[in-house]
Structure formats: structure tokens, C-alpha cells
Amino acid sequence: MRRLSCLVLIITGLLPRLSAAEPDAHLLAGTWRYDPARSTELSSWGSLQLVITVDGSHVTLTRHWTAGRRTFDEVTPLDLTRAINAVPVEWWPDNRHLGAYIGGDQAKQIRATLMDDGRMLRLSSDLVLATQQGERAVNILSDYKVSANGTLLTLIELRSTRNEPVVYVFQRVTDAAADAKVSKGNAE
């Protein structure tokens, strides 16, 4: 009886710690290739590749945009332990044909939350875009969610400047040779 009581105490003492465990962002980690048939058009870009790296509470999102010989890499480092990540923005590649460029302090203020046991990363990004009509504050809500089987990643973006969501579907890249075919260069 005494052993059973000790076992119950040990198990009940561990349960709160196990249930409070941090979600694991490693489910998101990997190289993801844009699927044009299932996604919102990339505007003037031809392709998009997403690389997510995870190192503890640090997550880095790298979007590799290509259009012919033009390429641009957007790197977004995030620390999930920080309330807000201030991320410098070199250039805003989304919808570049609209004539909207990074403005203000040329940075994004990003709140990042890992959800659904590490299967989803939610970002709320505040930035200022410069247009012909002047500067405009923009908020972008982004949900990066991995499918149950881990082969698809869906990015849904709700932009304060757009009525329709932007939906990008990515397939996990498992072939290192295909991954290495990404060209290098400069989009400007």
C-alpha cells in the first residue's frame, strides 16, 4: 500500500509538469516548396521556397523568392520567449508590383506564438509601408500550420490592407538535390 501511495504521488507530481511542457516547433522545421495550384498567386514572382529552422526557442523563417534570374531572400529571426521581436526589413517583397515598399523605421514588430502542440506558428506583424499616397500602418496575421502527416504547410495571411486572405500551400522538400537547384542573386 505504501508503494502504491508513493507511486501515485510521483505520477501526480509529474503530470502538471508534463502538461505544461512547451510545444515543440520542430514539426515546422524544414524546407518547404510553394504549390502554385493550391495557393494565392505570387504576383510578379515565379516561385517561393520557405525554410524554417528551429534552435530551442529561436525560430528563423527564410522566404526565398525567385523570378527568372531575380531572387530575394527575406530572413525573419524570432525568439519565442520575447513578447515582441523587432525585425529589420531590408525590402518588402510581397506584391512588389503595387508600388508598396517598406517605410517607417524599416522594421516589423512581430508577436510570435507557438500553438497546437508545435504544429502551428502564429505571427502578428506590424509594419509601415510607403506608397505614392504616403505611409500606411499595416498589420499582418500569419498562421503557419503543418498538416497531420507533416508533408504540407499552409500559410494563411490576413492583411489589414486586403479584403481576401492570402493562402500559400507548401510541400515539404525531402530531396536535397531538388533543394540545391535554387538560384542565387538579387531581385533589385
Side-chain angles (χ1 to χ4, degrees), residues 32-40 42 48 50 145 147 151-156 166-172:
W32 303 90
R33 186 176 300 123
Y34 169 79
D35 183 343
R38 300 161 110 178
S39 303
T40 301
L42 288 177
L48 173 61
L50 174 65
K145 184 160 184 160
S147 64
T151 62
L152 291 178
L153 182 141
T154 303
L155 167 58
I156 300 173
V166 175
V167 179
Y168 296 139
V169 177
F170 297 88
Q171 296 179 2
R172 187 180 292 276

Side-chain angles (χ1 to χ4, degrees), residues 5 28 83 142:
S5 297
L28 295 159
S142 306

Side-chain angles (χ1 to χ4, degrees), residues 48-50 61-65 72-74 93-94 157:
L48 173 61
Q49 188 174 58
L50 174 65
L61 306 171
T62 302
R63 296 192 305 168
H64 182 74
W65 302 86
F72 181 73
D73 288 335
E74 177 189 47
D94 296 272
E157 287 189 346

Side-chain angles (χ1 to χ4, degrees), residues 89-177:
V89 177
E90 177 185 343
W91 190 58
W92 192 64
D94 296 272
N95 297 349
R96 65 186 184 133
H97 67 284
L98 294 178
Y101 303 95
I102 191 66
D105 61 359
Q106 297 190 336
K108 288 182 187 178
Q109 305 302 314
I110 303 174
R111 287 169 295 292
T113 307
L114 201 54
M115 306 170 78
D116 195 16
D117 294 324
R119 191 169 303 287
M120 185 169 85
L121 176 66
R122 175 168 289 162
L123 307 181
S124 177
S125 305
D126 293 308
L127 65 152
V128 174
L129 293 179
T131 68
Q132 249 183 330
Q133 294 80 22
E135 291 196 334
R136 170 102 186 248
V138 176
N139 176 266
I140 303 170
L141 297 174
S142 306
D143 283 349
Y144 294 79
K145 184 160 184 160
V146 177
S147 64
N149 66 7
T151 62
L152 291 178
L153 182 141
T154 303
L155 167 58
I156 300 173
E157 287 189 346
L158 301 173
R159 298 179 187 169
S160 61
T161 56
R162 235 182 122 116
N163 292 329
E164 298 293 321
V166 175
V167 179
Y168 296 139
V169 177
F170 297 88
Q171 296 179 2
R172 187 180 292 276
V173 174
T174 56
D175 180 4

